[in-house]
Amino acid sequence: AILWTVELVARLNNRGYINWLKAGRCLLVLKEGLHPFIDKCIRDFHGDLLNQKPQLRNPCQASCKPKGKNVSSLCKDCTEWTTAILEHHKLSEGNTRHVNLNWDNCVPPSWRTDHWELAKAYMPRGQVSVKGAAQCDASALLYLIINCDNFPNVDEKSVKEVIQFRNELMHSSELNVTDEWMRRYQNSLKKLLQQFNNVPEIETVKQQIDEVSMFACVSVVVH
Protein backbone atom coordinates (compact mmCIF):
# COMPACT_ATOMS: atom_id res chain seq x y z
CA ALA A 1 0.00 0.00 0.00
CA ILE A 2 2.87 2.36 0.82
CA LEU A 3 4.54 1.65 -2.52
CA TRP A 4 1.28 2.32 -4.36
CA THR A 5 0.87 5.60 -2.45
CA VAL A 6 4.38 6.68 -3.35
CA GLU A 7 3.74 5.89 -7.02
CA LEU A 8 0.47 7.83 -6.95
CA VAL A 9 2.13 10.85 -5.37
CA ALA A 10 4.86 10.69 -8.00
CA ARG A 11 2.15 10.66 -10.66
CA LEU A 12 0.36 13.64 -9.17
CA ASN A 13 3.64 15.55 -9.12
CA ASN A 14 4.43 14.65 -12.72
CA ARG A 15 3.84 17.53 -15.10
CA GLY A 16 3.25 15.25 -18.08
CA TYR A 17 0.53 13.37 -16.21
CA ILE A 18 -1.14 16.59 -15.10
CA ASN A 19 -1.07 17.70 -18.74
CA TRP A 20 -2.76 14.42 -19.68
CA LEU A 21 -5.50 14.99 -17.11
CA LYS A 22 -6.00 18.59 -18.24
CA ALA A 23 -6.24 17.52 -21.88
CA GLY A 24 -8.91 14.96 -21.01
CA ARG A 25 -10.83 17.56 -19.04
CA CYS A 26 -10.79 19.84 -22.08
CA LEU A 27 -12.44 17.10 -24.15
CA LEU A 28 -15.19 16.79 -21.56
CA VAL A 29 -15.73 20.56 -21.58
CA LEU A 30 -15.83 20.51 -25.39
CA LYS A 31 -18.45 17.76 -25.42
CA GLU A 32 -20.63 19.57 -22.87
CA GLY A 33 -20.57 22.72 -24.99
CA LEU A 34 -21.23 21.07 -28.33
CA HIS A 35 -23.89 18.50 -27.58
CA PRO A 36 -26.91 20.86 -27.28
CA PHE A 37 -26.06 22.46 -30.63
CA ILE A 38 -25.44 19.14 -32.35
CA ASP A 39 -28.63 17.65 -30.96
CA LYS A 40 -30.66 20.54 -32.38
CA CYS A 41 -28.93 20.28 -35.77
CA ILE A 42 -29.69 16.57 -36.04
CA ARG A 43 -33.26 17.06 -34.86
CA ASP A 44 -33.75 19.66 -37.61
CA PHE A 45 -32.01 17.42 -40.15
CA HIS A 46 -34.30 14.53 -39.23
CA GLY A 47 -37.37 16.73 -39.63
CA ASP A 48 -36.17 18.01 -43.00
CA LEU A 49 -35.68 14.46 -44.29
CA LEU A 50 -39.20 13.50 -43.26
CA ASN A 51 -40.62 16.57 -44.98
CA GLN A 52 -38.59 16.11 -48.16
CA LYS A 53 -39.24 12.38 -48.47
CA PRO A 54 -42.71 11.41 -47.20
CA GLN A 55 -41.93 7.72 -47.77
CA LEU A 56 -39.55 7.90 -44.80
CA ARG A 57 -42.60 8.20 -42.56
CA ASN A 58 -43.62 4.63 -43.36
CA PRO A 59 -43.08 2.27 -40.40
CA CYS A 60 -40.72 -0.69 -40.58
CA GLN A 61 -42.53 -3.84 -41.69
CA ALA A 62 -40.18 -6.48 -40.33
CA SER A 63 -38.51 -5.36 -37.05
CA CYS A 64 -35.34 -4.90 -39.07
CA LYS A 65 -31.91 -5.27 -37.51
CA PRO A 66 -28.57 -4.77 -39.30
CA LYS A 67 -26.10 -7.65 -39.44
CA GLY A 68 -22.85 -5.85 -38.72
CA LYS A 69 -22.32 -3.48 -41.63
CA ASN A 70 -24.73 -5.42 -43.82
CA VAL A 71 -28.15 -3.86 -44.43
CA SER A 72 -29.16 -5.88 -47.48
CA SER A 73 -31.79 -7.76 -45.48
CA LEU A 74 -33.71 -4.67 -44.38
CA CYS A 75 -37.29 -4.13 -45.47
CA LYS A 76 -38.21 -1.68 -48.22
CA ASP A 77 -39.08 1.12 -45.80
CA CYS A 78 -35.85 0.84 -43.80
CA THR A 79 -33.89 0.63 -47.05
CA GLU A 80 -35.33 4.02 -47.97
CA TRP A 81 -33.68 5.33 -44.81
CA THR A 82 -30.30 3.77 -45.63
CA THR A 83 -30.44 5.47 -49.03
CA ALA A 84 -31.21 8.84 -47.46
CA ILE A 85 -28.45 8.41 -44.87
CA LEU A 86 -25.88 7.55 -47.51
CA GLU A 87 -26.92 10.51 -49.65
CA HIS A 88 -25.93 12.80 -46.79
CA HIS A 89 -22.63 11.14 -45.95
CA LYS A 90 -19.78 13.47 -46.90
CA LEU A 91 -17.54 10.64 -48.05
CA SER A 92 -20.04 9.19 -50.50
CA GLU A 93 -19.39 11.80 -53.21
CA GLY A 94 -22.12 10.23 -55.28
CA ASN A 95 -20.69 6.73 -54.94
CA THR A 96 -22.18 5.01 -51.92
CA ARG A 97 -20.39 1.73 -52.59
CA HIS A 98 -17.22 3.06 -50.99
CA VAL A 99 -18.84 4.19 -47.74
CA ASN A 100 -18.74 1.83 -44.78
CA LEU A 101 -21.15 2.96 -42.11
CA ASN A 102 -21.56 1.35 -38.72
CA TRP A 103 -25.15 0.34 -39.31
CA ASP A 104 -25.10 -1.86 -36.22
CA ASN A 105 -25.07 1.35 -34.16
CA CYS A 106 -28.68 1.80 -35.21
CA VAL A 107 -32.16 0.44 -34.59
CA PRO A 108 -33.67 0.90 -38.09
CA PRO A 109 -37.36 0.78 -37.04
CA SER A 110 -36.66 3.87 -34.91
CA TRP A 111 -35.17 5.96 -37.72
CA ARG A 112 -38.51 7.57 -38.56
CA THR A 113 -39.25 8.60 -34.95
CA ASP A 114 -35.89 9.10 -33.21
CA HIS A 115 -33.50 11.68 -34.62
CA TRP A 116 -30.56 10.27 -32.66
CA GLU A 117 -30.89 6.87 -34.31
CA LEU A 118 -30.22 8.77 -37.54
CA ALA A 119 -27.15 10.47 -36.03
CA LYS A 120 -25.61 7.19 -34.90
CA ALA A 121 -25.28 5.99 -38.50
CA TYR A 122 -22.56 8.61 -38.99
CA MET A 123 -20.65 7.80 -35.81
CA PRO A 124 -17.94 5.33 -34.74
CA ARG A 125 -18.78 1.86 -33.50
CA GLY A 126 -20.16 1.26 -30.04
CA GLN A 127 -23.09 3.68 -30.09
CA VAL A 128 -25.96 1.19 -30.08
CA SER A 129 -26.98 1.84 -26.46
CA VAL A 130 -26.46 5.61 -26.67
CA LYS A 131 -29.77 7.48 -26.55
CA GLY A 132 -28.71 11.06 -27.20
CA ALA A 133 -25.97 13.60 -27.78
CA ALA A 134 -25.43 14.15 -24.06
CA GLN A 135 -24.34 10.52 -23.68
CA CYS A 136 -21.67 10.74 -26.39
CA ASP A 137 -18.02 11.57 -25.88
CA ALA A 138 -16.34 14.38 -27.78
CA SER A 139 -14.84 12.03 -30.36
CA ALA A 140 -18.20 10.57 -31.37
CA LEU A 141 -19.70 14.04 -31.82
CA LEU A 142 -16.72 15.22 -33.86
CA TYR A 143 -16.96 12.21 -36.18
CA LEU A 144 -20.64 12.99 -36.67
CA ILE A 145 -19.72 16.52 -37.74
CA ILE A 146 -17.19 15.39 -40.34
CA ASN A 147 -19.29 12.52 -41.71
CA CYS A 148 -22.72 14.15 -42.01
CA ASP A 149 -23.21 16.92 -44.57
CA ASN A 150 -25.64 18.68 -42.26
CA PHE A 151 -22.62 20.61 -40.92
CA PRO A 152 -21.40 22.24 -44.16
CA ASN A 153 -19.87 25.36 -42.63
CA VAL A 154 -17.46 23.59 -40.30
CA ASP A 155 -13.84 23.31 -41.40
CA GLU A 156 -13.16 19.57 -41.48
CA LYS A 157 -9.42 20.04 -41.06
CA SER A 158 -9.85 21.69 -37.67
CA VAL A 159 -12.19 18.89 -36.55
CA LYS A 160 -9.81 16.17 -37.72
CA GLU A 161 -6.91 17.84 -35.90
CA VAL A 162 -8.74 17.65 -32.59
CA ILE A 163 -9.70 14.03 -33.27
CA GLN A 164 -6.04 13.25 -33.91
CA PHE A 165 -5.00 14.89 -30.65
CA ARG A 166 -7.75 13.00 -28.84
CA ASN A 167 -6.50 9.70 -30.26
CA GLU A 168 -2.92 10.46 -29.25
CA LEU A 169 -4.13 11.32 -25.76
CA MET A 170 -6.17 8.15 -25.34
CA HIS A 171 -3.38 5.95 -26.70
CA SER A 172 -0.63 7.41 -24.52
CA SER A 173 0.74 4.30 -22.81
CA GLU A 174 2.30 6.37 -20.03
CA LEU A 175 -0.69 8.72 -19.60
CA ASN A 176 1.74 11.53 -20.21
CA VAL A 177 1.93 14.43 -22.70
CA THR A 178 4.50 17.19 -23.04
CA ASP A 179 4.06 20.93 -22.64
CA GLU A 180 4.68 21.34 -26.37
CA TRP A 181 1.95 18.80 -27.16
CA MET A 182 -0.42 20.71 -24.86
CA ARG A 183 0.38 23.98 -26.60
CA ARG A 184 -0.45 22.53 -30.01
CA TYR A 185 -3.54 20.80 -28.65
CA GLN A 186 -4.88 24.00 -27.11
CA ASN A 187 -4.29 25.89 -30.36
CA SER A 188 -6.17 23.17 -32.22
CA LEU A 189 -9.09 23.43 -29.79
CA LYS A 190 -9.20 27.20 -30.26
CA LYS A 191 -9.32 26.84 -34.05
CA LEU A 192 -12.15 24.35 -33.73
CA LEU A 193 -14.15 26.53 -31.36
CA GLN A 194 -13.91 29.46 -33.77
CA GLN A 195 -16.10 27.40 -36.10
CA PHE A 196 -18.92 27.59 -33.54
CA ASN A 197 -18.86 31.23 -32.47
CA ASN A 198 -22.59 31.42 -33.16
CA VAL A 199 -23.31 28.73 -30.56
CA PRO A 200 -24.28 30.30 -27.20
CA GLU A 201 -22.51 27.67 -25.09
CA ILE A 202 -19.16 28.06 -26.84
CA GLU A 203 -18.10 31.22 -25.01
CA THR A 204 -18.39 29.33 -21.74
CA VAL A 205 -16.44 26.44 -23.26
CA LYS A 206 -13.62 28.81 -24.21
CA GLN A 207 -13.49 30.23 -20.69
CA GLN A 208 -13.48 26.80 -19.07
CA ILE A 209 -10.75 25.50 -21.36
CA ASP A 210 -8.64 28.56 -20.53
CA GLU A 211 -9.18 27.86 -16.83
CA VAL A 212 -8.12 24.24 -17.27
CA SER A 213 -5.07 25.30 -19.26
CA MET A 214 -3.96 27.72 -16.55
CA PHE A 215 -4.35 25.17 -13.76
CA ALA A 216 -0.96 24.68 -12.12
CA CYS A 217 0.35 21.40 -10.77
CA VAL A 218 -0.05 21.26 -6.99
CA SER A 219 2.73 19.45 -5.15
CA VAL A 220 1.58 16.42 -3.19
CA VAL A 221 3.63 14.89 -0.39
CA VAL A 222 3.31 11.73 1.69
CA HIS A 223 3.02 12.24 5.43
Side-chain angles (χ1 to χ4, degrees), residues 6-213:
V6 171
E7 290 176 349
L8 177 60
V9 169
R11 270 288 184 190
L12 294 175
N13 285 318
N14 181 284
R15 188 177 182 88
Y17 179 62
I18 296 300
N19 283 343
W20 186 85
L21 290 175
K22 288 161 63 174
R25 176 62 185 170
C26 287
L27 286 175
L28 182 58
V29 170
L30 176 65
K31 165 262 177 93
E32 290 297 329
L34 284 181
H35 81 73
F37 164 74
I38 292 176
D39 183 76
K40 182 182 184 305
C41 287
I42 294 298
R43 191 181 296 275
D44 292 345
F45 175 45
H46 184 259
D48 288 343
L49 285 179
L50 290 172
N51 290 331
Q52 294 165 8
K53 300 187 176 186
Q55 66 270 29
L56 295 179
R57 297 181 181 274
N58 296 334
C60 170
Q61 301 298 317
S63 299
C64 292
K65 186 176 182 180
K67 297 178 180 179
K69 293 188 176 183
N70 188 345
V71 289
S72 61
S73 62
L74 299 188
C75 72
K76 177 180 179 295
D77 295 303
C78 288
T79 299
E80 291 281 357
W81 270 103
T82 64
T83 300
I85 288 168
L86 284 167
E87 286 175 351
H88 289 277
H89 196 292
K90 288 182 182 177
L91 299 182
S92 64
E93 297 180 350
N95 189 347
T96 59
R97 290 179 299 176
H98 298 297
V99 178
N100 289 318
L101 296 188
N102 295 303
W103 296 112
D104 52 356
N105 278 342
C106 307
V107 180
S110 297
W111 275 330
R112 73 186 184 95
T113 57
D114 186 344
H115 69 290
W116 204 250
E117 287 300 324
L118 167 65
K120 292 192 295 186
Y122 300 100
M123 302 172 83
R125 291 177 299 172
Q127 305 296 316
V128 65
S129 62
V130 175
K131 302 303 181 184
Q135 295 180 10
C136 296
D137 64 8
S139 176
L141 296 178
L142 294 176
Y143 271 107
L144 170 59
I145 289 172
I146 62 174
N147 286 334
C148 179
D149 68 5
N150 194 53
F151 302 91
N153 298 321
V154 179
D155 175 36
E156 287 187 35
K157 182 179 178 181
S158 64
V159 180
K160 289 178 179 178
E161 279 185 7
V162 173
I163 290 175
Q164 179 61 34
F165 277 111
R166 178 266 178 197
N167 291 343
E168 292 174 5
L169 183 71
M170 294 297 105
H171 295 138
S172 170
S173 60
E174 297 297 324
L175 310 184
N176 187 308
V177 294
T178 66
D179 288 348
E180 172 60 20
W181 186 95
M182 280 295 292
R183 184 189 65 78
R184 292 186 288 110
Y185 171 61
Q186 289 161 4
N187 287 339
S188 183
L189 284 173
K190 289 177 181 178
K191 285 193 295 183
L192 173 64
L193 292 173
Q194 287 174 359
Q195 309 292 314
F196 300 97
N197 281 334
N198 61 322
V199 178
E201 294 85 358
I202 291 303
E203 195 57 41
T204 300
V205 171
K206 291 178 180 178
Q207 293 173 3
Q208 291 180 345
I209 286 179
D210 284 342
E211 290 172 2
V212 172
S213 301

